[in-house]
Amino acid sequence: ARALDSGALTSGDLVAHARRRVDVDALTSNAFTRDDKDASTTASTGRQSMWHRAVRDARASDARRRASDGGDAGASASGGGELASALDGVPFAVKENLCVAGVETTCGSAMLRGHVPVYDATAVRLLRDRSGAVLIGTTNMDEFGMGSSGTTSTRGATLNPTSSDGARTAGGSSAGSAAAVANGSAFFALGSDTGGSVRLPAAYCGVVGLKPTYGRVSRFGLIAYCSSLDTVGVLARTVGDAAVVLAAMQGEDELDATSVERCADVDAFARDVVSGRMDAFDDAPLRGVRVGIPEEYAVRELTQEAYDVWDDTARVMQSLGATIVPTRMPHTARALACYYVLAPAEASSNLARYDAARYGDVTHAVSREAYLSQEYQSAVTSARSAGFGDEVRRRVLVGTFALSSQRAAEYFIRAQKVRRLVAQDFTDAFTTQGVDVLLTPSAIGTAPKIADVAATRPERAYATDVMTTPASLAGVPAMSVPIRRSRTSGLPLGVQLIAPRFRESTLLRVGYAIEQRAARGYSTTTTTTTTTTT
Amino acid sequence: SMIVSHRRAIYICHSMLAHRCVRARVTHVYAARALSSSSAYETVVGVEIHTRLATRSKLFSGAPSTYGAPPNTAVAAFDAAHPGTLPVLNATAVALAIKLALALESQVQSRSSFDRKHYFYADLPHGYQITQQREPISLGGRVRIGYDDAESGARYVGIERVQIEMDTGKSSRATDVGGSSGVSGTNATRVDLNRAGQALVEIVSAPDMRSGEDASAMVEAMQRMLRYLNVSDANMEEGSLRCDVNVSVCTSEDAKLGKFGERVEIKNLNSLRSIVRAVKYEAKRHVEVLSAGGTVERQTRTFDTNTGKTVVLRSKESLLDYRFTPEPDLPPLVLTTADVEAISNRMPELPAAAFERLTKTLGVSASAATTILAFPTSLKYFDVAMENCGEAKGVDVANFIANEIVGAARKDGGATFKDPLSRVPRAASAMRVGQLLSRVAHGDISGRMAKKVLEALMNSDERSLSEIIYDVCGGGQMSSDGGADNSLREICTAVVSEMTQEVKLFRSGKTKLMGALVGEVMKRTNGRANPKEASALLTECIDAVDN
């Protein structure tokens, strides 16, 4: 963005560059959705016109910048103006479950093949129409957000661009968005986070992944997986970028009854970032901040290097002025099971609409004639069997079971109670124990190999979400910040920060401080560290 | 193979049951006779009313809430369940539901919430209906049925709950689908989503009714209430009011203890008559089953208006599991006392109160009052007529409207048109009718003349009343205190001298014959004479002849 401000680069340059990266991506990460070469339906997916618009938007953005340069000659404009123009002309990508008018949006599912929404998701609209950001593509994802490895899409797996030793997962479900930011195709990307779908791929791909408080960003246009947990999140290269993007899309939306009014503190922090006020050196930026370390996150599956990063970061935060507070969150261990009852239950409800009658093209499996010649119930059964992948079918079945009148008390209702207990843990930590922000690992380890994921049983695969699901259940904001590469595999490792509801500004300021420190390397402070074994 | 044999077992059970039913029918003739004399069984009825709220847009989307538009022309993306869309609650719908709850003396809840009710059907695009299962907008309450409280005490039916929910689309069997859709078969189903997402309230009654007539009266009372409140047009023909009834039978002792029999739900009754017939049939069926030693099964049935019988829609085994879940896209609906008060301060007069006012204060007969109160438009008509009727009494105004105007308007409106005074011609406005009746009260014209004038008014005669009266009745009623007095006296004298037989009999004590004499006078004056005056003059003449 600063390069755009100085005139060193134009948005047109960036978009042309992004276009080349996206073309290369087909051969490398498979982060972006693309049209089938052989399909005759290419014209209707809207990707060509999306590129035409990207080029037009970039030119318009360049024209705006030239005009304002002539106007006030680079003088510092008002804070609002700075923030408003920070994203002008910046290329970004959007996860394929956020509706983009005129562009095929399938959620990685055969069930929605050929589905072209007629409206933009509110988050997308705000970025494009109000902030001037340029949409360069939609990104691959686990089918309907159900997956933690980016492998359940009908478009094939997204590969981790940071891997140098064969095919590794990019994490999921916002796999393509994380990979697109990591490989430099997009400056930032939108994802969605239901149980960790932004934070986990961010950790695996070494980018910043921000999940805001439930309600902070409108869900209108986000194709629902688990409505009471779904949030629109940001994948970005830096904490500052994430803040600017969040500021651009936050706020109450009359189209989403669960959205809340915008937070001035987030805007203030984003302005500080854009104006360069955050660049001023502060040797103890975390003075007075109480950082909670919940010991329940030290699970058996946590790898040594993930533990070390967590431990080192706590020490670094202490050196930056923070107070470290050991914190008890007794219901953490229950969160994963709770999530895997609630999310499938809501998913079974949200996915009930996919009957292939009004949208979605399942003709690859069931011809229209065959579909229409059956009774409704059997037509829907055949279409859903063909349209949903294994993981989606598994979760819809689990969810339907958990909601059945015979089992609801045992599963769904009980899971709701557990959810309240998990949320209560966070309330206790933030109020009774006086913690400002919690520090945990982002993931139990580095990105696994795709071959290993394929061989893992589902319930084992679900364990990768153990670090991220508690914050989702509590609806609190959380962010994964990349810290360093593994010394053995070279893969990224990160930590997760969790703040009280609607305190994204705390999350961002603390995350910014850690990020700045991590950029200089922890080595000076960590030489004396003796690793404790668990 | 386990499953298969299990299924077969169920099937066999079914056929055994069917067998027993047949036997029951044979034996029932005696049983039913014995029962009807001792009336050992009591029918217990509860109703569920779904009524479309009179909102401009749908419950959760901005699409217009209309009836009769071309198929699929009033559909927003949300109504078609497009991915990514979210429900936005219509504030007017909530206000109307509160208004209804207040009128039903129901307890408006400070917090209510929405749930999803799941099932797969072609006209349910989401795969679920958004409703209020756990926390409805109001609980409790009652509705008064009929107006006969003066004689037999007030009759009330308890209300259990009022809940807000969205309507489904409409599917219909089409026999001539073909061409573009690629379906050439005859058994296609057509789906119209215009209705999908329209705002409904469901009103659930307590099992307080004991017959189909009770249930029908309850629904009629609800219709009236909904119309007075402007909450719904409550039109059963257009489906803006739909009714399900729950029927069970039990012995009167058990009924007193609240121990009801197994209930059967009859879905979608679309007229008051059907309600009466369906309940009657179903109760009889239960008694037959029970008296043959069988047990009534929990079922959902439908009523066939052609045969007058109920038919099984879903049996106990196949009752749907709706998998209720909280609606995560809508936060709980929280109402403050101020919200509710704002609505309660603007409540219109309700039918029960209006009935009191008409019968007690104005002395209107119960039957005329009932006719006038059937529709808010006719009550409004009555009230405006009253404001313009001068000395005329409320009773007379009510009778004229109930007997003359409603009848005439019905005739003009056609058989299917229910709300008679909503479209009377401008010439027959309530104001002009009031003025007309004021002239009757003043003695300017007779009641009979007024009817003639009304005929002209109903034919859109927009001239001034005086002109019409002059035209129709030749200048109004003959009056004794004007020049016309002499001519009326002359006519009376003539009648007395010509109808000697009648006069003779009258003198001998057959005073009823005065009627015939007055009739003759009226005939000769073309109805312009005041019958009372004619009668007085005739008496005078007869007495004069006597002397």
Side-chain angles (χ1 to χ4, degrees), chain B residues 274-484:
Chain B
S274 294
I275 294 173
V276 176
R277 290 171 71 203
V279 171
K280 194 166 282 173
Y281 175 86
E282 189 61 20
K284 198 173 140 220
R285 193 183 67 83
H286 287 206
V287 172
E288 283 170 20
V289 170
L290 292 174
S291 50
T295 49
V296 174
E297 203 191 342
R298 179 81 161 259
Q299 284 174 338
T300 302
R301 297 173 80 92
T302 179
F303 180 68
D304 185 337
T305 46
N306 295 322
T307 61
K309 292 178 180 172
T310 64
V311 190
V312 182
L313 208 60
R314 284 189 290 273
S315 63
K316 195 179 179 182
E317 288 83 15
S318 59
L319 289 180
L320 296 174
D321 184 349
Y322 291 123
R323 294 181 286 117
F324 284 101
T325 60
E327 168 53 86
D329 292 330
L330 291 165
L333 174 58
V334 177
L335 299 167
T336 63
T337 34
D339 294 335
V340 180
E341 264 166 28
I343 293 168
S344 72
N345 290 339
R346 285 184 284 119
M347 291 292 279
E349 185 185 36
L350 294 176
F355 185 81
E356 297 274 302
R357 178 163 66 88
L358 263 62
T359 53
K360 300 253 164 78
T361 319
L362 298 171
V364 174
S365 72
S367 76
T370 306
T371 308
I372 288 172
L373 289 171
F375 293 91
T377 48
S378 23
L379 178 63
K380 172 91 181 149
Y381 192 95
F382 170 79
D383 286 337
V384 173
M386 281 300 288
E387 281 163 25
N388 293 283
C389 73
E391 304 157 28
K393 287 199 191 109
V395 192
D396 300 324
V397 176
N399 285 338
F400 192 73
I401 292 174
N403 301 336
E404 309 303 331
I405 302 182
V406 169
R410 278 249 166 81
K411 213 167 66 193
D412 293 351
T416 53
F417 187 62
K418 288 283 159 71
D419 188 355
L421 297 192
S422 63
R423 310 186 204 156
V424 289
R426 201 169 50 177
S429 71
M431 196 180 79
R432 275 158 69 91
V433 165
Q435 288 163 353
L436 178 67
L437 295 174
S438 142
R439 294 191 184 212
V440 175
H442 194 249
D444 296 347
I445 55 169
S446 68
R448 194 194 285 210
M449 284 179 192
K451 285 181 204 170
K452 280 194 177 165
V453 174
L454 177 65
E455 220 169 277
L457 297 180
M458 292 302 285
N459 287 323
S460 291
D461 190 338
E462 294 197 3
R463 290 176 298 166
S464 76
L465 278 179
S466 308
E467 278 178 79
I468 300 172
I469 290 169
Y470 190 84
D471 238 32
V472 174
C473 334
Q477 187 158 291
M478 288 176 155
S479 169
S480 56
D481 50 68

Side-chain angles (χ1 to χ4, degrees), chain A residues 177-190:
Chain A
S177 286
V181 173
N183 74 17
S185 310
F187 281 72
F188 69 91
L190 297 189

Side-chain angles (χ1 to χ4, degrees), chain A residues 324-529:
Chain A
I324 302 298
V325 186
T327 310
R328 291 275 295 141
M329 302 191 78
H331 297 100
T332 302
R334 312 257 178 234
L336 190 67
C338 170
Y339 173 81
Y340 275 101
V341 173
L342 287 183
E346 282 194 38
S348 74
S349 171
N350 283 324
L351 270 54
R353 69 187 59 189
Y354 301 111
D355 58 6
R358 296 171 303 283
Y359 40 75
D361 179 4
V362 292
T363 51
H364 61 285
V366 187
S367 75
R368 202 67 185 160
E369 289 73 26
Y371 180 83
L372 289 172
S373 66
Q374 298 173 71
E375 280 298 317
Y376 178 74
Q377 302 288 342
S378 55
V380 170
T381 308
S382 59
R384 285 168 72 87
S385 301
F388 290 143
D390 290 343
E391 184 59 28
V392 172
R393 276 210 305 280
R394 183 178 300 121
R395 294 197 195 185
V396 167
L397 272 173
V398 167
T400 305
F401 177 77
L403 285 177
S404 63
S405 56
Q406 311 233 324
R407 301 292 183 171
E410 195 180 338
Y411 290 97
F412 184 68
I413 311 270
R414 185 183 285 185
Q416 281 183 307
K417 284 181 191 149
V418 174
R419 180 179 182 177
R420 282 191 285 276
L421 292 173
V422 171
Q424 190 58 46
D425 275 358
F426 282 95
T427 311
D428 287 347
F430 292 131
T431 55
T432 333
Q433 301 179 58
V435 164
D436 296 308
V437 65
L438 290 161
L439 177 71
T440 77
S442 293
I444 52 174
T446 52
K449 286 188 173 144
I450 284 189
D452 293 346
V453 170
T456 313
R457 290 162 55 84
E459 65 273 19
R460 296 284 302 164
Y462 293 164
T464 50
D465 300 332
V466 69
M467 298 292 145
T468 50
T469 48
S472 291
L473 293 172
V476 295
M479 178 168 65
S480 176
V481 182
I483 300 298
R484 65 179 178 221
R485 298 291 183 113
S486 158
R487 290 189 189 91
T488 50
S489 63
L491 293 166
L493 287 158
V495 293
Q496 176 179 229
L497 294 166
I498 307 171
R501 277 159 65 79
F502 306 119
R503 297 304 303 160
E504 283 87 353
S505 54
T506 306
L507 207 59
L508 292 164
R509 284 183 190 279
V510 173
Y512 187 85
I514 297 173
E515 180 186 63
Q516 295 300 306
R517 190 66 186 72
R520 299 204 302 276
Y522 281 179
S523 51
T524 49
T525 53
T526 54
T527 42
T528 55
T529 306

Side-chain angles (χ1 to χ4, degrees), chain A residues 99 119 219-223 227 254-257 346 349-350 352-354 358-359 372 376-377 400 403-405 412 416, chain B residues 77 80-86 88 116 118 120-122 125-128 173 181 183 321 323 325-326 328-329 331:
Chain A
C99 291
Y119 45 82
R219 287 183 297 119
F220 179 78
L222 170 65
I223 298 179
S227 309
E254 60 175 21
L255 297 173
D256 176 4
E346 282 194 38
S349 171
N350 283 324
R353 69 187 59 189
Y354 301 111
R358 296 171 303 283
Y359 40 75
L372 289 172
Y376 178 74
Q377 302 288 342
T400 305
L403 285 177
S404 63
S405 56
F412 184 68
Q416 281 183 307
Chain B
H82 270 247
T85 53
L86 297 170
V88 179
R116 294 178 177 181
H118 299 88
F120 285 101
Y121 206 72
H126 288 87
Y128 55 81
R173 283 284 179 191
S181 65
V183 182
D321 184 349
R323 294 181 286 117
T325 60
D329 292 330

